[in-house]
């Protein structure tokens, strides 16, 4: 989901700090910190846009760069191996120096040097793509799911009859619940909010997913705060006790910026950037979950891909890619939840059913204009809604278009 936290005074300062980069810089050496989709796509787009200098791609993990969305779905269920973004030989073909198990420890933006746990790396342009880390519940030492290794540990523990308590009923928590049920576990889903996915789809549409999880046997503890967690289970405020064999924390993520604390970069809920991904120091960019572009931070796979292309365009020059309408998806049980646009600041929502199967679809509008859509296994409707949002279509027109 997109987190909006605009502070106009801070934003003006960031833009002023970025302005000196707008004339372009002579770049022959690019260092990319972080090898998730944002980092890998930046390297790819630099090459496709004609950059022929040196590209160094750092990953803190020992594995080939991989896609994270499948971790809570196919990987956890055991149906898929490491979901690599590219084969090893592809990095050789792209002439990208891939440094695995290499952790960035800091940046000297004056000397243009990245400090790592092995050596220093000089750069002309630095792209920060370090992503996010899991937000933890205070006082809880549960399992988390962010990496391939996390998924493997969790997979070994889950199985028939295992009692698992999941704290957090957002996208990851609900996907974990669905995967755990498929493995035969007894699942308890806990959230302080009233319905699963309420931040993602809004309260009006969230009831659909509450019913879906209950129908699969998930025990929902909504509107419940966690008081304590111990080896035997979860105690909720008010006296309810949930016996568990394992506890998973799934309350979201925070940008991975601690390693940048001494860099002098502006860091507020991520790396502050302008609308081209330029950070507050010359030659530094941020993409993906770690970047706060023009006052907002997007945790969408599709946004990371677009941002990578936008930054590559700024480094190399050339045509600027058209802004993408945010898109996200979630696989739970036998359904695919898809969303486009945003529900932030919507002042009207229309919920209907699409197609002969009558599958749920919600349209979100502000001032009569559609700004977002969420649907359950309705890819054609979501595609049409995406085009309508891009065109600035009115809610009533989109309702007619989709016949809902």
């Amino acid at each position: 989901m997109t987190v909006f936290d605009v502070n106009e005074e801070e934003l003006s300062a960031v833009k002023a700090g970025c302005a000196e980069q707008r004339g372009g810089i002579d770049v022959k050496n690019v260092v990319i910190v972080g090898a998730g989709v944002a980092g890998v796509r930046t390297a790819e787009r630099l090459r496709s846009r004609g950059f022929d200098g040196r590209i160094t791609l750092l990953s803190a993990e020992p594995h080939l760069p991989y896609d994270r969305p499948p971790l809570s779905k196919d990987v956890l269920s055991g149906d898929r191996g490491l979901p690599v973004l590219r084969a090893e030989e592809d990095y050789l073909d792209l002439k990208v120096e891939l440094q695995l198990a290499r952790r960035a420890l800091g940046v000297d933006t004056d000397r243009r040097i990245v400090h790592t746990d092995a050596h220093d790396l000089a750069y002309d342009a630095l792209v920060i793509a370090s992503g996010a880390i899991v937000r933890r519940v205070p006082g809880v030492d549960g399992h988390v799911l962010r990496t391939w290794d996390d998924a493997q540990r969790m997979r070994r523990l889950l199985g028939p009859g295992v009692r698992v308590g999941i704290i957090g009923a957002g996208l990851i928590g609900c996907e974990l619940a669905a995967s755990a049920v498929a493995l035969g576990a007894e699942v308890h889903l806990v959230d302080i909010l009233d319905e699963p996915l309420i931040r993602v789809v809004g309260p009006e549409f969230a009831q659909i997913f509450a019913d879906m999880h209950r129908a699969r046997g998930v025990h929902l503890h909504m509107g419940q705060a966690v008081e304590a967690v111990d080896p035997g289970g979860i105690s909720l405020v008010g006296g309810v006790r949930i016996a568990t064999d394992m506890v998973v924390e799934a309350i979201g993520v925070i940008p991975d910026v601690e390693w940048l604390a001494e860099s002098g970069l502006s860091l507020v809920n991520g790396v502050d950037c302008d609308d081209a991904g330029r950070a507050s120091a010359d030659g530094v960019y941020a993409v993906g979950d770690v970047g706060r572009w023009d006052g907002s931070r997007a945790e969408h796979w599709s946004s990371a891909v677009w941002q990578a292309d936008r930054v590559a365009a700024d480094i190399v020059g050339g045509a600027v890619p058209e802004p993408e309408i945010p898109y996200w998806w979630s696989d739970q049980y036998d359904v695919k939840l898809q969303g486009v646009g945003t529900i932030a600041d919507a002042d009207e929502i229309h919920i209907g059913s699409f197609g002969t199967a009558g599958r749920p679809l919600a349209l979100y509008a502000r001032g009569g204009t559609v700004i977002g859509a969420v649907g359950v296994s309705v890819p054609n409707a979501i595609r049409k809604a995406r085009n309508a949002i891009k065109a600035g279509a009115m809610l009533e027109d989109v309702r007619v278009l989709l016949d809902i």
Side-chain angles (χ1 to χ4, degrees), residues 2 298 300 302-303 324-328 339-342 386 389:
T2 303
H300 300 299
S302 60
S303 297
E324 285 284 336
I325 303 297
Y327 167 76
W328 56 267
V340 290
T342 179
R386 189 177 193 174
I389 294 168

Side-chain angles (χ1 to χ4, degrees), residues 146-386:
R146 183 66 182 173
T147 68
W148 166 259
D149 292 336
D150 292 336
Q152 297 311 294
R153 282 191 293 269
M154 201 174 294
R155 178 68 180 86
R156 288 191 292 269
L157 293 171
L158 287 171
V162 173
R163 301 169 300 178
V164 56
I166 301 172
I167 302 174
L171 286 172
I172 296 299
C174 287
E175 289 172 0
L176 285 171
S179 296
V181 165
L183 293 170
E186 176 189 313
V187 179
H188 294 263
L189 191 56
V190 181
D191 202 296
I192 196 169
L193 299 180
D194 291 335
E195 302 288 355
L197 300 177
I198 198 168
R199 288 192 181 95
V200 182
V201 302
E204 299 91 345
F205 206 48
Q207 183 62 50
I208 293 170
F209 305 100
D211 294 342
M212 180 179 73
H213 283 282
R214 286 194 184 96
R216 265 64 171 200
V218 175
H219 303 276
L220 297 183
H221 306 268
M222 298 293 101
Q224 300 288 314
V226 174
E227 183 173 57
V229 175
D230 58 54
I234 302 171
S235 296
L236 303 180
V237 173
V240 173
R241 172 76 175 173
I242 305 169
T244 62
D245 300 305
M246 63 181 292
V247 173
V248 181
E249 300 174 60
I251 62 168
V253 297
I254 55 177
D256 184 7
V257 295
E258 186 175 351
W259 65 283
L260 296 167
E262 303 301 320
S263 67
L265 293 169
S266 178
L267 307 173
V268 179
N269 189 27
V271 179
D272 281 318
C273 300
D274 66 6
D275 57 5
R278 307 179 190 99
S280 56
D282 192 30
V284 180
Y285 300 81
V287 293
D289 291 357
V290 75
R292 191 178 78 145
W293 283 42
D294 222 14
S296 65
R297 190 169 63 83
E299 296 173 4
H300 300 299
W301 191 95
S302 60
S303 297
V305 172
W306 176 80
Q307 288 179 358
D309 194 20
R310 180 67 183 87
V311 163
D314 200 74
I315 293 173
V316 177
V320 173
E322 188 176 348
E324 285 284 336
I325 303 297
Y327 167 76
W328 56 267
W329 72 95
S330 176
D331 295 315
Q332 299 175 35
Y333 308 109
D334 55 350
V335 306
K336 180 180 286 291
L337 174 63
Q338 295 171 292
V340 290
T342 179
I343 71 169
D345 300 326
D347 55 25
E348 186 176 0
I349 177 173
H350 175 78
I351 299 175
S353 56
F354 178 79
T356 56
R359 291 170 177 160
L361 176 65
L363 298 175
Y364 304 82
R366 182 171 59 236
T369 301
V370 173
I371 60 173
V374 176
V376 179
S377 298
V378 287
N380 289 337
I382 293 298
R383 177 180 53 79
K384 292 177 180 178
R386 189 177 193 174

